[in-house]
Amino acid sequence: MQELLELTRELAVKELQPAVDAAERAGTFPREAFRLLGRSGLLGLPYPEQWGGGGQPYEVYLQVIEELARAWLAVGLGVSVHTLACFPLATAGTPQQQERWLPDMLGGDLLGAYCLSEPQSGSDAAGLATRAVASGDGYRVDGVKAWISHAGQADFYSLFARTSGEPSGPDRARGISCLHVPAATAGVSAAPAEHKMGMRGSVTAQMIFDGAQVPAGHLLGEEGRGFSIALTALDSGRLGIAACATGLAQAALDLAAGYARERHQFGKPIIDFEGVSFMLADMATAVEASRALYLAAARRKDAGQDFRPQAAMAKLLASDTAMRVTIDAVQVLGGYGYVADFPAERYLREAKVLQIVEGTNQIQRLVIARSLGGR
């Protein structure tokens, strides 16, 4: 484990950190970074070695995600998204499907995207309206997916579409299926990228499926049982977001503490003033608490225990922490924190999205509350 984390830190420092500022300013998608991580064995860490994965426990994988996000959030989050996109095939695919696609997916040759949300169904994911209708020897897919990370850049899409039923009513989750859709499929295209507050290096856009013909052999799991795959994948994905948030918060803390040690006012470093040092102490405590919570949830997952409420707690705490810590980092740097010459303002812009993606923090509270009620 230690060697793996050292390799990750080396790549983060030598390859990611020198590129992040220019790429984020220009909105350049870091596709080569993902290929490098794939060649280094970092794109398939939590999946079995028989398919080219790393065979690592989630507790280790998430620490790798944190290190990557600490250097460049778009890359750390991108690895988490790719891991999420591989989940349906790795857990519900047939041995033949896994043997056919997983080695390239886990080796970095194929980058994935996860297509669940739609313009009218975000938090209520079961209300999706994209349809996959039996056609010939497969399915004809029509619909629009929204807020898709890696849209237009991915090589495959893990798509959730309705094979029966309607997008309203109490049984709306029952007719949803999961399909593996290669990006080269005719009728699959990406809309123009969204103009975002932060994480500009990570492309986010709508995905359009216009009469896309997907072979029957690309169905992952049973027809009509895809929504349970989607929810189970998100439980694990939320741990990835928690690790990303912790990495971003740690980067902001490192920047603020380093600046406070070097910046002198009234004849001494500003870290010697309680107004600053106590703020940094609170920041450090919150970061450590976030890390401890996501690691505890990961250990539950690795042990085969129920971890869904703990994953929601970890995502909630870590993303709220990232928001608070980045705000305070800007305050510690003062005027320098508000200008683009320092990364503090970028950290603050990036932190906000972590409270939204893969289930808003209001949804996380709902998941936690329902678990307390025995549901």
Side-chain angles (χ1 to χ4, degrees):
M1 170 181 144
Q2 195 57 40
E3 290 182 359
L4 179 60
L5 292 177
E6 288 175 0
L7 168 64
T8 305
R9 291 189 190 106
E10 181 179 358
L11 289 174
V13 171
K14 292 184 178 180
E15 303 294 337
L16 301 184
Q17 285 182 350
V20 58
D21 287 334
E24 287 295 329
R25 279 195 296 269
T28 304
F29 184 73
R31 185 64 180 89
E32 287 304 315
F34 292 115
R35 290 193 178 96
L36 173 62
L37 295 177
R39 292 194 298 269
S40 303
L42 300 181
L43 272 190
L45 287 175
Y47 295 119
E49 294 177 282
Q50 71 183 91
W51 301 319
Q56 294 293 325
Y58 245 70
E59 183 180 5
V60 173
Y61 155 70
L62 292 176
Q63 291 178 76
V64 169
I65 292 292
E66 181 186 335
E67 287 292 337
L68 295 174
R70 185 176 178 180
W72 190 348
L73 179 61
V75 173
L77 191 69
V79 174
S80 181
V81 166
H82 177 74
T83 302
L84 180 69
C86 293
F87 184 92
L89 176 59
T91 59
T94 65
Q96 293 78 14
Q97 289 173 325
Q98 292 165 344
E99 189 65 33
R100 178 182 178 186
W101 293 310
L102 270 178
D104 287 339
M105 289 161 62
L106 302 183
D109 291 332
L110 301 178
L111 186 68
Y114 188 81
C115 293
L116 178 62
S117 294
E118 298 185 358
Q120 79 289 347
S121 65
S123 296
D124 181 13
L128 65 86
T130 295
R131 288 198 175 272
V133 178
S135 173
D137 60 350
Y139 300 90
R140 176 189 168 99
V141 182
D142 291 279
V144 178
K145 293 294 179 178
W147 313 112
I148 306 303
S149 297
H150 304 168
Q153 294 286 344
D155 301 293
F156 71 93
Y157 298 90
S158 293
L159 171 70
F160 294 89
R162 185 168 299 283
T163 47
S164 64
E166 299 297 327
S168 60
D171 296 328
R172 62 192 184 283
R174 292 188 178 178
I176 295 171
S177 300
C178 183
L179 297 168
H180 173 79
V181 183
T185 303
V188 175
S189 63
E194 306 287 357
H195 298 287
K196 299 179 298 183
M197 177 190 297
M199 284 229 307
R200 293 166 182 165
S202 176
V203 62
T204 303
Q206 292 186 346
M207 286 301 303
I208 301 167
F209 298 86
D210 184 10
Q213 194 70 27
V214 180
H218 288 224
L219 176 69
L220 302 178
E222 295 180 42
E223 187 175 290
R225 300 292 182 89
F227 195 61
S228 63
I229 298 174
L231 293 185
T232 305
L234 286 174
D235 289 338
S236 299
R238 284 164 181 163
L239 290 179
I241 300 302
C244 285
T246 303
L248 179 65
Q250 183 68 61
L253 172 61
D254 292 342
L255 176 67
Y259 179 85
R261 289 191 295 267
E262 298 297 326
R263 173 71 167 173
H264 283 67
Q265 293 287 277
F266 305 104
K268 59 183 178 180
I270 63 172
I271 200 170
D272 289 346
F273 294 98
E274 286 186 354
V276 174
S277 63
F278 282 13
M279 185 183 298
L280 292 169
D282 287 342
M283 294 161 67
T285 301
V287 172
E288 287 294 338
S290 298
R291 182 176 296 118
L293 189 53
Y294 88 63
L295 289 175
R299 285 190 287 270
R300 290 183 65 90
K301 174 176 169 57
D302 292 333
Q305 300 173 349
D306 177 35
F307 70 98
R308 190 182 191 208
Q310 289 78 15
M313 292 174 190
K315 195 269 186 185
L316 171 63
L317 178 67
S319 58
D320 280 355
T321 291
M323 195 74 241
R324 290 195 304 272
V325 168
T326 55
I327 287 173
D328 287 346
V330 169
Q331 190 69 21
V332 170
L333 269 68
Y336 294 107
Y338 200 70
V339 296
D341 296 327
F342 289 80
E345 60 86 28
R346 171 167 59 83
Y347 294 157
L348 174 55
R349 288 187 286 104
E350 291 176 335
K352 185 59 199 173
V353 76
L354 299 171
Q355 295 179 308
I356 299 171
V357 295
E358 293 191 30
T360 66
N361 282 6
Q362 285 69 35
I363 291 295
Q364 307 312 315
R365 289 177 171 90
L366 181 63
V367 170
I368 297 164
R370 285 180 172 175
S371 73
L372 295 174
R375 288 179 288 170

